[in-house]
């Protein structure tokens, strides 16, 4: 395997600046003395020190930088919990139309019937996929959906006069956004441990719930990729205590058409459209985190909701029990549009195939990787996983000193992206791996071979893993330096940009 | 065959059989047997059957065709999302697979491209706002404001947050959902009905040792620009609370940067910097602050410059992750994970393409249109434009009370003539009467504005 | 300032001054002083002044809005450029700067991407046509045909080239401009007016020891597919001349490849393989041949697979350059230099995305529409469809003689109903009467065809 | 300077194939037995052996390949004679509209008034820029324009009954397409030598012209980048002999707004839209080569010509003296559209600035490079060049053994594209360099530094130049092997694709 990532030694854009260059057209059509109209106490005296560069320089700079970045379009990217799948190009192509790009959120609804119908139908499809009754498309991401969901729980309890509920329960394997979202809503976070099968410990849960319980936030399959079989029981425990059950939809890719959170007893579900429904992750975002709820929570959803009166689609702001707004306007329409296109392209058969093959790929890989020397699959070696699994490199670390981190760095040398490492925290030297359904067997086999090779290197005491990566744009990075107050540089203003 | 799918390489029978057999299974169903029968779905998903790419495109484009975009009608809407020219180079770059299909750079060595781009974004935002630090994006202006209020409370340990009356109503609504659950009390400060200026005595009355911060929109939601910022800032800092500014970033090409007013936290909407309106989303939340103390409390991802471990080359990686949810969990400064990186990249390209001269150019184009529009509209019988006696940037309030017509009727008339009129303010701010918020940017020509004035005249005279 | 330009980094005064001074000059004018005053331009170019990107976009999109595309009207035109679905992945890739802004790979080490892609294109064309060698593109089908006739003459040393009567008229016209100057005589071979079949006895009469080659379109320009290809091929080869086939490439997903008929040279139009119609250009000339002797006479660029000099890795580079103008000058096999590489890349992606099953799928969709359209149109009063009694693929001739209406009137009527009718053949082939060439592909639904039939009925009954 | 081009070790697309995978959607909407309608003697028995791959694999494959390719968007690409300039992204963005992409050449002219107007106005602008009277937009490239031009000369002479004219004169520095185009039209090619100033030797020209002269094909500035000062005299010599003067427009980028071929006495001009007017070169094409002519040749232009009757635009086929057609349909509309956009964006001022800065950049670079040890600027060290210049590495080759080829290969290691080498043939160890106006001074200086460093390496007897390139996707390629009959592989069918 020969891989080398591009290296361009590209300076900062500000370092390409030279006074006098421009990257825009000056217009001849008016007179610039209008700037003098600005009252002097408001007028900017020094123009901002932005780069002065021409268009070609901007295009070259970012084209070069892009080559120094890894994406799904380049290779396997099995970041567990992130569902880094291939997104059909037609989704982006359709979203490039001015018929979506150049729509204003406040334009007359009569001139937005197309997008409103799309939002309405997407709401309908998503609601059905998760088995909920009503949905809001507004949240901008999963975590934002979580916060919205916790606010819905809060509204529900307050509406029932249950003011003393102030504890949100999360499993110890939960994603960091779950406790963070609960805390944002002013709630205390109560952690429940996992049992030996990696699932929620029902006894611990029973003793955790009570009159202070707001609800339980979990994902199913859980972060270990294991389906919580006892979910109905768990739901009952929570519901009996007067709490609500929140479904973190990050793992929805495992169960579409196979099981619905609604049927499992969940009251609230967020869906990460960028994970399951094909918005490319964009280097970190944008995404979208619609939140579906059962009937009893529907009244609390944020405004507006897209409705249809039999002849036209409209935005319904008239919802007196609504929690209000969690962001401006009506949500990320361009993201929802992509998800809508994705759902049409797949259809009921395709969405089910997505989950089936995502699970097949994960289990294929899990079974192959766990047999490689130094690796293991904690919490039930043989038990089926869903769309992801958490490998442990703890034996390897113990026996050879090569940690999960080093395995990850060494994987980079093979032109693949490593799994998520050191999460969930309940697995030592965790490598949380989610191949997704869009990876071919050939790519899976290549990744497996890379693990084999790294294991061999580790046991052969090669210094390759410890000194890796070698093939990337830069070699191992000094992350500590970026965090030490004395060396920290968070903008080019705190550095010497011309150096 | 029924299952084989173009986006799912292992979806054909032979691949499935081979993979199953290699791991000792007979069927995919076995992999789902751990789902209790009671909750295993029996029926197909109640969504349509799959369509081909061609069918999908024709169907969806058919729906989209029902929309009228700003290329189909002349639109004068702003109010938080604005129509600007997006240089073509931006879309050409942000659609490149390497940027588009990557994620949070957890492995910095293979993600230098996006990391450097985000470091540049932070730097550019700091140059524009004059602040010390910026994060690499929040969801939108409104959530950035919510985070700012919470951060002000965290930093000061105080639980009152003040805002001016003529704030963007949806931002205020969002601020509420961010503040209510943690018992931050929101207090409205009066603004003068004639000039729009913050009523400084009211502000001073409401400022106290309980005040976490005061928020000012600059330019304001209604387009006027507060002149007494220095005075306001002094009063706010006087009581030890934070001064939070909400900025429309294009205006900072010509207006004093918030740093000149000792602003502590700047929030704003980055959409005008090279992103399309997209019916209101995705958007780009700008968040910047000054000083290290505030930095440590900042929400969101921050990228830092460092070197390789051998010290030989510059490199970039995530910094101060201990503020973030994936490390700090319930003690994090925010729950944000997925952010708006791609729009931040677009903003970097926009600011780089325009540079200092281009920002001044686009500001002067906007001021030219703003002035021309004020001159044109105020000539119409019964029309007051702007309704506030102040300096306006890009947007202003037009009052129609004396025309005897409602904004909704007027807008109906305009729409029939192919024009989307300004935002009807009558339900947001009844005290402003029949008023609408009009927006004029570089995308409008004088002829467009003449057309608006002509049609308005016809409607008002009808 | 007037000169500074966003696409020209050194166009500002300071850069110009500095660069001039470094090379000891005072002004740019000095660099043009060697142009004699008599021919140095005195006045500005008589073209408009520059426009901003925004102005330009608005202006040009305004002009383009006057066009009606196949997304605006239902169109049944084919005849050499066809409407097909272009998978979105293709445009996403061919717009990548690395491909889009590169040129002929004169430096192979830094151009492996395009070289490998062109090697793949050649291979894919050979898989599709069954031929041994393909070049990496010519301008279009018509110039490929011109080159083929010249190549046949070069190879055989003979100077008569035979073609069938119902050839695409523009291809014939192009063939003439490629043959006339070098005295290749073009001889028409009769085709049966009822079946379209080549009149083999006429062909045999015209074949002789002077014949360089015979050209057959397969499927023919009028959509019927010649059945007696074996017989024709035998006759052609009998006299030692070359058999040249002109193919519409999509059809080869279901029709016998030309190699099965011992074809010597294949030409064709690659536009249907993933490129848009673009009002007729750019297009993609396919050119393939069999055997090494012909290969050496092939026009155009050819990419070969090799290794690095150290033998360690596969690599690609231009091969057989001694055929080309930049080496062989006036003795080159063609003058072609700039070709249609980007469209060849699109074709590679198309053939890869579709694969054997997809090609069969699109062929069956086309045959389904063709059959449905024949069934629908032949029911209309006075309409004969198809006008030839033969197997048709994708296109067929509709004769309106008995309706008493001219094609031009009918097409006018259709256009009023939002339909672009088939190509009027009456001036190209008067002997076919009032006939039009209709084209049906996978982009049409049965409902589209019903709509056509309905409107035609209304027009014919009016 | 750290540069490394990406290396993906990417197999052939056919090697990614596995029976069963598909990259397209099957439709449910009809029955496939229609295939049985195909008469058996016409039916394909074996489907073509195309790859069976899914969409993600196609996208990854070509994304990776693209990273192994160099383009103007990545860096300086000063291929002399090719005008590798930056093309504004707005040109491509506008050309992506279905209002051009999905137009059919035979559609009713009433539904194509927009594109016809664009073609008409582009014709007008181009005609004026080169100082001609009438133009055809049809030729697909420069060489195609040349062939068209030679056919026009032929038609002209034949129309005047001058059948004996059969010689086309070209300078020894001419581009290969010039003689090749003349030969394609059945003409003999007569070469005239350059004089010591690198220009056409007038005496030689005088003795070359005569009653057999069809015309002279030259470019001005010539391939050395030198303006042929005596062009009016040259024109007179040719015209007096009854010949015509043909302008190879490849070098038009040097003189826009400065001088017009029409004013120099040229009768025929081709314009490479992809060179001067912003169609990206596409890895080899497409381009377009419109041909402008003076009044006396206008009648011979190919059909159709775009005309305007005062109220509508139309295609005029009714031209009895026309040479006919040089290709199907009306030319490369999408390419002409880009050129039209480019002309509007630049305007008269901008187009002139293009030429001014292209010339400035070339001279700046020429003067710096010629002073580097081992390099020289033959044919007038000090004389100004236009948009390009031809450096000679002959001294370097003699003194150090490092040839122009090796300099070129070594330049690759710096992440820049070398100049055109070994052309024109009249300069030993030629390096024909055309930076274009879209290169910043910084990039020019970097390229100059790279030359300096290579010169140092050569004189220091470093083996770097001889073993270069090192930083590219592959090291030096064995081109001979690709041409030897025994090892030649021109398709994957002639190789073992699975190896
Ligand atoms: C399990 C889980 N929950 C929640 C989230 C948060 O979602 P988002 O990143 O869309 O905010 C993630 C994202 O990585 C996740 O993996
Ligand atoms: C001087 C010259 N003439 C003619 C041509 C041929 O033009 P094209 O490649 O567009 O066919 C070229 C192209 O490189 C050239 O440089």
């Amino acid at each position: 395997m020969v891989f080398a990532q591009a290296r361009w030694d590209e300076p900062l854009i500000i370092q390409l600046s030279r006074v006098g260059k421009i990257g825009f057209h000056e217009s001849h059509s008016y007179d610039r003395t209008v700037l003098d109209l600005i009252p002097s106490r408001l007028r900017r005296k020094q123009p901002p020190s932005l780069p002065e560069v021409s268009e070609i320089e901007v295009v070259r700079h970012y084209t070069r930088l892009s080559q120094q970045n890894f994406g799904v379009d380049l290779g396997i990217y099995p970041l567990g919990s992130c569902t880094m799948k291939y997104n059909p190009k037609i989704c982006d192509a359709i979203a490039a139309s001015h018929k979506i790009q150049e729509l204003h959120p406040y334009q007359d609804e009569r001139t937005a019937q197309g997008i409103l119908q799309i939002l309405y139908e997407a709401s309908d499809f998503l609601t059905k996929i998760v088995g909920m009754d009503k949905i809001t498309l507004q949240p901008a991401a999963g975590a934002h959906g979580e916060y919205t969901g916790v606010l819905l729980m809060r509204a529900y309890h307050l509406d029932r006069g249950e003011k003393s509920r102030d504890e949100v329960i999360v499993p110890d394997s939960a994603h960091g956004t779950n406790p963070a979202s609960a805390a944002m809503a002013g709630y205390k976070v109560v952690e429940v441990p996992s049992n030996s099968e990696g699932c929620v410990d029902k006894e611990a849960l029973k003793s955790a719930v009570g009159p202070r319980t707001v609800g339980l936030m979990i994902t199913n399959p859980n972060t270990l990729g294991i389906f919580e079989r006892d979910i109905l029981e768990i739901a009952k425990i929570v519901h009996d205590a007067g709490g609500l059950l929140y479904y973190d939809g990050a793992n929805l890719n495992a169960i579409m058409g196979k099981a619905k959170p609604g049927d499992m007893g969940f009251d609230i579900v967020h869906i990460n459209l960028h994970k399951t429904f094909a918005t490319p992750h964009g280097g970190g975002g944008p995404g979208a985190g619609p939140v579906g709820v059962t009937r009893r929570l529907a009244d609390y959803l944020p405004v507006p909701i897209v409705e249809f009166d039999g002849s036209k689609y409209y935005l319904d702001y008239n919802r007196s029990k609504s929690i209000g707004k969690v962001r401006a306007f009506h949500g990320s329409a361009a993201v929802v549009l992509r998800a809508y296109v994705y759902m049409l392209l797949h259809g009921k058969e395709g969405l089910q195939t997505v989950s089936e093959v995502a699970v097949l790929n994960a289990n294929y890989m899990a079974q192959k990787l766990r047999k490689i020397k130094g690796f293991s699959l904690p919490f039930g070696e043989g038990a089926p996983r869903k769309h992801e699994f958490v490998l442990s490199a703890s034996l390897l670390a113990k026996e050879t000193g090569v940690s999960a981190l080093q395995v990850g760095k060494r994987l980079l040398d093979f032109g693949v992206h490593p799994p998520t490492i050191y999460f969930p925290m309940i697995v030592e030297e965790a490598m949380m791996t989610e191949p997704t359904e869009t990876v071919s067997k050939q790519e899976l086999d290549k990744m497996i071979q890379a693990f084999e090779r790294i294991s061999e290197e580790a046991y052969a005491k090669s210094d390759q893993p410890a000194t890796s990566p070698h093939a990337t744009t830069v070699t191992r990075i000094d992350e500590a330096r970026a965090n030490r107050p004395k060396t920290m540089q968070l903008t080019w203003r705190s550095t010497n940009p011309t150096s | 065959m029924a299952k084989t799918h173009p986006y799912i390489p292992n979806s054909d029978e032979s691949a499935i059989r081979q993979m199953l057999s290699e791991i000792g299974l007979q069927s995919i169903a076995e992999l789902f047997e751990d789902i209790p029968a009671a909750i295993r779905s029996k029926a197909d998903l109640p969504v349509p059957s799959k369509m081909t790419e061609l069918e999908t495109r024709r169907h969806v484009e058919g729906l989209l065709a029902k929309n009228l975009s700003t290329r189909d009608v002349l639109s004068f809407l702003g109010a938080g999302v604005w129509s600007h020219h997006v240089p073509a180079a931006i879309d050409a770059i942000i659609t490149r697979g390497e940027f588009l299909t990557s994620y949070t750079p957890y492995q910095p060595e293979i993600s230098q491209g996006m990391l450097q781009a985000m470091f540049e974004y932070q730097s550019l935002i700091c140059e524009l706002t004059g602040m010390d630090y910026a994060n690499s994006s929040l969801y939108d202006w409104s959530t950035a404001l919510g985070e700012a209020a919470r951060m002000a409370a965290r930093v000061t340990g105080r639980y009152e947050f003040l805002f001016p009356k003529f704030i963007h109503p949806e931002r205020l609504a969002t601020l509420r959902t961010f503040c209510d659950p943690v018992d931050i009390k929101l207090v409205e400060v009066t603004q003068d009905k004639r000039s729009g200026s913050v009523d400084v005595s009211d502000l001073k009355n409401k400022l106290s040792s309980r005040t976490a911060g005061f928020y000012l929109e600059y330019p304001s939601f209604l387009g006027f620009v507060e002149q007494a910022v220095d005075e306001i800032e002094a009063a706010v800092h006087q009581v030890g609370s934070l001064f939070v500014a909400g900025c429309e970033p294009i205006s900072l090409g010509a207006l004093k940067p918030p740093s000149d007013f000792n602003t502590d936290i700047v929030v704003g909407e980055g959409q005008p910097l090279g992103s399309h309106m997209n019916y209101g989303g995705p958007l780009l939340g700008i968040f910047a602050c000054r000083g290290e103390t505030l930095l440590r409390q900042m929400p969101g991802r921050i990228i830092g410059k460092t070197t390789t471990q051998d010290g030989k080359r510059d490199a970039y990686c995530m910094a101060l992750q201990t503020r973030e949810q994936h490390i700090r969990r319930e003690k994090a400064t925010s729950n944000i994970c997925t952010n708006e990186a791609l729009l931040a990249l677009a903003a970097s390209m926009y600011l780089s393409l325009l540079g200092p001269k281009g920002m001044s150019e686009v500001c002067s184009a906007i001021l030219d249109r703003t002035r021309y529009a004020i001159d044109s509209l105020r000539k119409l019988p019964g029309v007051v434009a702007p309704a506030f006696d102040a300096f306006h940037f890009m947007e202003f309030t037009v009052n129609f009370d004396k025309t005897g017509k409602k904004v909704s009727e007027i807008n109906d008339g305009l729409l029939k003539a192919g024009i989307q009129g300004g935002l009807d303010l009558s339900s947001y701010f009844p005290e402003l009467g029949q008023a609408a918020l009009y927006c004029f940017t570089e995308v409008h020509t004088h002829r467009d504005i003449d057309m608006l004035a002509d049609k308005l005249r016809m409607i008002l005279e009808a």
Side-chain angles (χ1 to χ4, degrees), chain A residues 102 110 147 325 368 483, chain B residues 22 177 276 309 320 412:
Chain A
E102 304 305 339
R110 286 167 290 178
Y147 182 60
K325 295 214 52 85
K368 300 260 168 164
N483 285 290
Chain B
E22 287 193 41
T177 54
H276 301 275
Q309 287 190 353
L320 301 178
D412 272 357

Side-chain angles (χ1 to χ4, degrees), chain A residues 368-415:
Chain A
K368 300 260 168 164
L369 290 185
R370 78 175 174 92
K371 290 180 188 142
I372 298 174
K373 195 170 175 192
F375 295 99
S376 62
L377 190 63
F379 300 104
E381 287 273 310
R385 296 305 194 264
K386 291 279 136 329
H387 65 304
E388 69 187 2
F389 60 93
V390 181
L391 200 69
S392 169
S394 71
L395 200 66
L396 191 79
K398 247 172 255 149
E399 295 182 347
T400 72
V402 172
S403 64
L405 177 87
Q406 285 171 350
V407 174
K409 295 295 178 200
R410 180 66 178 139
L411 280 169
L412 297 174
D413 284 340
F414 297 89

